[in-house]
Amino acid sequence: MPDIAPGVKELTTPLKPIPSQRWTHIIPVAFIMYTIAFIDRTNISLALPSMSRELHMNPTQAGDAAGVFFWGYVLLQIPGGHLAQRWSAKRFISILLVVWGCCSIGCGFVETWRQFWVMRFCLGVAEGGVWPAVLVLISHWFPRAERARANAYWMLCLPVAVIVSAPLSGWILGRWNWRVLLIAEGALPFLWLVIWWVFIDDHPHQARWIPTEERHYLEATLQRESQELEPVKPDPHLRALFRPQVLVMIGIYFLLNTGNYGYLFWLPSVLESARQMSNLLVGVLFAVPYVMTGVGMVILSRHSDKRRERRGHVAFALAWGGVWMMACILLSSRVPILALVAISLVGAGSYGALGPFWAIPTETLPRSVSGAAMGLINALGNLGGYFGPLLVGFLNHRSGNFLEAFGVLSLGYLAGAGLTLLLRRPAAARV
């Protein structure tokens, strides 16, 4: 059972453990919901080679169309976090489930690369508010001592989405075509909407399923933590958002996403160009690095909560990703099998950083601005998801291989690790 936050013993009976039904009620539903979102966002990575041939896209155009998702993704980030905090994460995400399902299916009906570009942009807008809204929801259900694990267990959907969907998508692609793939997987949000609406509540006091003791514990602990972070004299909202802590986090998250999406969207193409493989085999090999990613996310988040430390864990994780990606480049021409092992270890760090990273805003910023701040960090940081695939496509087009591009991504991870050291620690960041 998750550790109990310090100070809880004065709120509850010490000899009786606090129930933790929220771990099995909130996290799995949010996990599957965002797994579907990530599948609909990234399934084009496997479809990109055949789409490029049919829609006559060169590598730069393909990278642009894949990454334009993140320009649309920017638009609802701050409004999404704000609406989730002030209105309802449950209702807001329910609306987005319907809209992104329609956009994802629409990607399967495009006839030109420009139409594909437009549909990817619209899909980005539709998915844009989901991430900050779920982070706000988690902050309503999990105290500070549990938050890195709660974030990481939910964010395991990122590698799991690839692990589950890559072989399935490869099979669909081989049996039918990329249009069937995008339409079939685009229908999944409509199926999950009912589950989301029935199981999710915005706050503990709204939930009928939660034991009374757990509700009292959560309400008392979260209220105390909120009071510790609330400023005595509230800042103007924009000045509160654009404080140095937030700006540094934007830079870190931008570099992290440049690397993650740069190699996520292009790794299947790397595998296909290295050897002639079936779509199914490419899908299976594409899933291998994300198995290690899931392991890294769990280990790093648990250790971060145990140590009550975030900054060092994020820096270590990004440095790990950068070092192993550089090792992949150095080994690729000499020992290809070891290069695959190296690339399989990258995500354990680059994705493993996410749990402790997203615990930082809710632990260092006032509750009144944390939701909007997370939206701003996610909005601008996720533009790395546009520039990463575009950069890899451009450098591949220029050099004829992926070595130069992946070298740049490696340096980005290492720069992000150094930038993390500029973050203030939670104790020093209270306002």
Side-chain angles (χ1 to χ4, degrees):
M1 184 179 127
D3 299 333
I4 302 302
V8 170
K9 60 184 179 181
E10 65 187 33
L11 304 171
T12 60
T13 304
L15 298 178
K16 186 177 180 181
I18 299 299
S20 57
Q21 290 191 19
R22 62 197 181 281
W23 290 91
T24 55
H25 197 102
I26 299 292
I27 296 296
V29 177
F31 176 96
I32 296 176
M33 181 274 298
Y34 208 81
T35 298
I36 294 170
F38 203 70
I39 288 172
D40 287 342
R41 180 188 311 180
T42 60
N43 53 10
I44 66 159
S45 60
L46 286 169
L48 212 52
S50 55
M51 289 184 72
S52 297
R53 289 188 290 269
E54 185 171 333
L55 301 181
H56 307 292
M57 295 187 292
N58 63 41
T60 302
Q61 290 172 330
D64 185 28
V68 74
F69 170 97
F70 294 98
W71 286 105
Y73 196 73
V74 166
L75 299 181
L76 287 182
Q77 289 295 314
I78 297 176
H82 183 78
L83 286 171
Q85 191 73 265
R86 301 300 177 94
W87 179 46
S88 168
K90 173 182 177 177
R91 291 181 175 87
F92 183 57
I93 292 175
S94 297
I95 295 169
L96 296 179
L97 277 162
V98 175
V99 180
W100 106 56
C102 293
C103 294
S104 187
I105 290 174
C107 287
F109 288 98
V110 299
E111 297 293 339
T112 68
W113 82 267
R114 292 188 182 278
Q115 292 175 358
F116 177 54
W117 189 97
V118 171
M119 290 310 302
R120 284 288 295 178
F121 177 83
C122 293
L123 179 63
V125 175
E127 285 194 20
V130 178
W131 184 273
V134 176
L135 286 170
V136 169
L137 181 71
I138 287 175
S139 73
H140 291 168
W141 281 95
F142 296 90
R144 193 180 304 155
E146 303 169 341
R147 203 162 291 156
R149 278 168 296 160
N151 286 341
Y153 293 164
W154 164 55
M155 293 174 193
L156 277 172
C157 61
L158 305 182
V160 166
V162 178
I163 294 167
V164 171
S165 70
L168 176 62
S169 297
W171 177 76
I172 294 174
L173 200 58
R175 186 173 178 83
W176 290 284
N177 55 50
W178 62 268
R179 295 185 185 276
V180 174
L181 168 66
L182 298 183
I183 293 169
E185 294 182 347
L188 295 176
F190 299 102
L191 301 178
W192 198 250
L193 174 60
V194 177
I195 304 296
W196 174 266
W197 187 260
V198 170
F199 278 82
I200 294 297
D201 295 285
D202 285 301
H203 299 278
H205 69 265
Q206 297 172 339
R208 297 180 180 179
W209 49 267
I210 190 171
T212 302
E213 187 177 6
E214 186 174 7
R215 181 186 298 112
H216 290 164
Y217 155 68
L218 289 173
E219 290 174 348
T221 305
L222 292 169
Q223 182 180 11
R224 171 173 55 80
E225 292 179 353
S226 176
Q227 290 171 347
E228 291 174 353
L229 290 171
E230 202 67 39
V232 177
K233 294 182 179 180
D235 289 331
H237 198 69
L238 284 178
R239 192 171 73 183
L241 276 180
F242 286 97
R243 60 184 66 197
Q245 183 86 341
V246 175
L247 296 178
V248 173
M249 292 193 72
I250 290 171
I252 296 166
Y253 202 52
F254 178 86
L255 292 169
L256 185 153
N257 280 305
T258 298
N260 282 358
Y261 285 102
Y263 93 86
L264 184 150
F265 279 119
W266 286 104
L267 185 56
S269 298
V270 174
L271 294 172
E272 186 182 64
S273 64
R275 297 177 183 275
Q276 291 299 318
M277 301 178 183
S278 68
N279 287 316
L280 178 59
L281 181 56
V282 170
V284 171
L285 290 178
F286 182 45
V288 170
Y290 292 91
V291 175
M292 298 305 299
T293 294
V295 174
M297 291 179 73
V298 172
I299 293 174
L300 274 164
S301 65
R302 290 179 65 87
H303 194 265
S304 176
D305 272 350
K306 182 178 180 180
R307 297 289 184 179
R308 306 289 174 88
E309 197 281 332
R310 313 302 185 196
R311 189 181 69 166
H313 285 78
V314 175
F316 171 81
L318 289 175
W320 171 283
V323 167
W324 282 111
M325 182 163 282
M326 188 62 72
C328 170
I329 296 166
L330 297 175
L331 292 168
S332 60
S333 60
R334 301 176 182 177
V335 193
I337 189 66
L338 291 182
L340 179 60
V341 172
I343 200 71
S344 297
L345 294 171
V346 170
S350 62
Y351 282 91
L354 292 175
F357 179 87
W358 283 112
I360 293 172
T362 53
E363 294 179 2
T364 62
L365 298 174
R367 189 179 182 88
S368 59
V369 299
S370 62
M374 288 188 291
L376 179 65
I377 293 165
N378 200 40
L380 299 183
N382 261 296
L383 289 178
Y386 169 78
F387 288 105
L390 181 63
L391 177 67
V392 174
F394 171 76
L395 293 176
N396 173 49
H397 188 56
R398 187 180 73 171
S399 66
N401 61 62
F402 290 93
L403 298 180
E404 182 182 357
F406 277 32
V408 173
L409 299 185
S410 172
L411 294 176
Y413 284 138
L414 296 173
L419 197 57
T420 302
L421 301 178
L422 298 179
L423 290 173
R424 294 184 298 170
R425 300 181 187 275
R430 292 180 182 174
V431 293

